[in-house]
Amino acid sequence: MFRGVRPYLVEAGLDDPVVCYQGAVVADPATGEFFRHVPIPRATALEAIDAVVEAGFHVNCYVDDELYVAEVTPEARAYADFQGLEIHAVGPLHEWLRDDPTKLVAVGEPAALDALEDELEPRFAGKLFVSKSLPYFLEFAHPDVNKGSGLQFVADRLGFTPAETVACGDGENDRELLDWAGFRVAVANAHPEILARAELVLPDVEHEGVAELLEALLGELGGNSS
């Protein structure tokens, strides 16, 4: 969510467009304006909500950069507390939803979500982008949405190319991001599909591998500019 990432943008002093919601949104950090927004058509979202609920999983629904749930459950709290978000409990989502949501997320145990992904990905082929982000989160977005398409939008806006881009990933939802970028990087504990794509593997987050890479790149740029 944009509201989830905004505090980090402020702390870092970044003012370039930021890709959120797996690429469904590109936002202006200063104003919150959405330069790009590709939501899920409501009819498809309702079908996905029903499928996830019938399978016994909690669903998060995102509309207007707010988090909506049928009821506040431990699963809802786990996601909201992870991001520091406010939860809006609205009753059954199928009855409540009137707009096209930006994203849906099923929350549950990793192995159970793997089975749900195997079941729903072919069912919604061409209708939804379906991918794990973290092991406990299975995400659903518009079929044209992924991190690669979001970054393409930013590249077109700012005027850079894949060849000028370094992308770092860890989860399976980073596949399209790494496929788009000219130089592909993974952290050591990344999903196997991400490790297979990587030209460089860094230490995991606990050992600040990405931070080391950024410091090296910024140091090189500083050296070139001087």
Side-chain angles (χ1 to χ4, degrees), residues 10-205:
V10 171
E11 183 178 358
L14 299 177
D15 57 8
D16 288 322
V18 58
V19 181
C20 307
Y21 290 101
Q22 306 281 21
V25 165
V26 176
D28 180 344
T31 66
E33 176 189 357
F34 284 6
F35 298 132
R36 164 185 163 98
H37 184 211
V38 187
I40 303 170
R42 176 176 175 271
T44 304
L46 292 175
E47 184 182 353
I49 288 169
D50 287 345
V52 174
V53 171
E54 288 170 6
F57 293 89
H58 168 89
V59 181
N60 287 347
C61 181
Y62 303 80
V63 178
D64 295 331
D65 206 34
E66 298 281 357
L67 169 58
Y68 296 92
V69 299
E71 60 180 331
V72 178
T73 64
E75 292 83 2
R77 282 259 61 96
Y79 188 96
D81 292 347
F82 169 71
Q83 295 284 352
L85 303 171
E86 182 180 1
I87 302 174
H88 303 281
V90 294
L93 292 172
H94 191 115
E95 299 174 13
W96 169 83
L97 186 63
R98 293 292 178 267
D99 300 307
D100 296 343
T102 303
K103 182 177 76 169
L104 303 170
V105 176
V107 184
E109 292 299 318
L113 284 181
D114 287 342
L116 183 67
E117 182 179 16
D118 290 342
E119 175 187 347
L120 296 187
E121 194 167 25
R123 174 174 168 179
F124 288 98
K127 298 173 67 176
L128 287 172
F129 172 77
V130 182
S131 182
K132 284 279 206 67
S133 52
L134 294 175
Y136 295 88
F137 306 139
L138 179 63
E139 311 216 357
F140 303 84
H142 187 284
D144 294 337
V145 162
N146 57 66
K147 292 185 182 183
S149 67
L151 189 54
Q152 179 68 65
F153 180 93
V154 174
D156 292 341
R157 188 177 181 90
L158 298 185
F160 63 90
T161 67
E164 299 170 295
T165 305
V166 177
C168 304
D170 63 345
E172 67 176 73
N173 62 330
D174 293 322
R175 290 174 297 199
E176 293 80 7
L177 171 66
L178 266 65
D179 289 345
W180 186 90
F183 190 74
R184 300 178 294 278
V185 181
V187 292
N189 60 330
H191 188 278
E193 291 188 33
I194 303 305
L195 289 171
R197 285 167 162 78
E199 299 164 270
L200 173 66
V201 177
L202 300 172
D204 63 23
V205 65

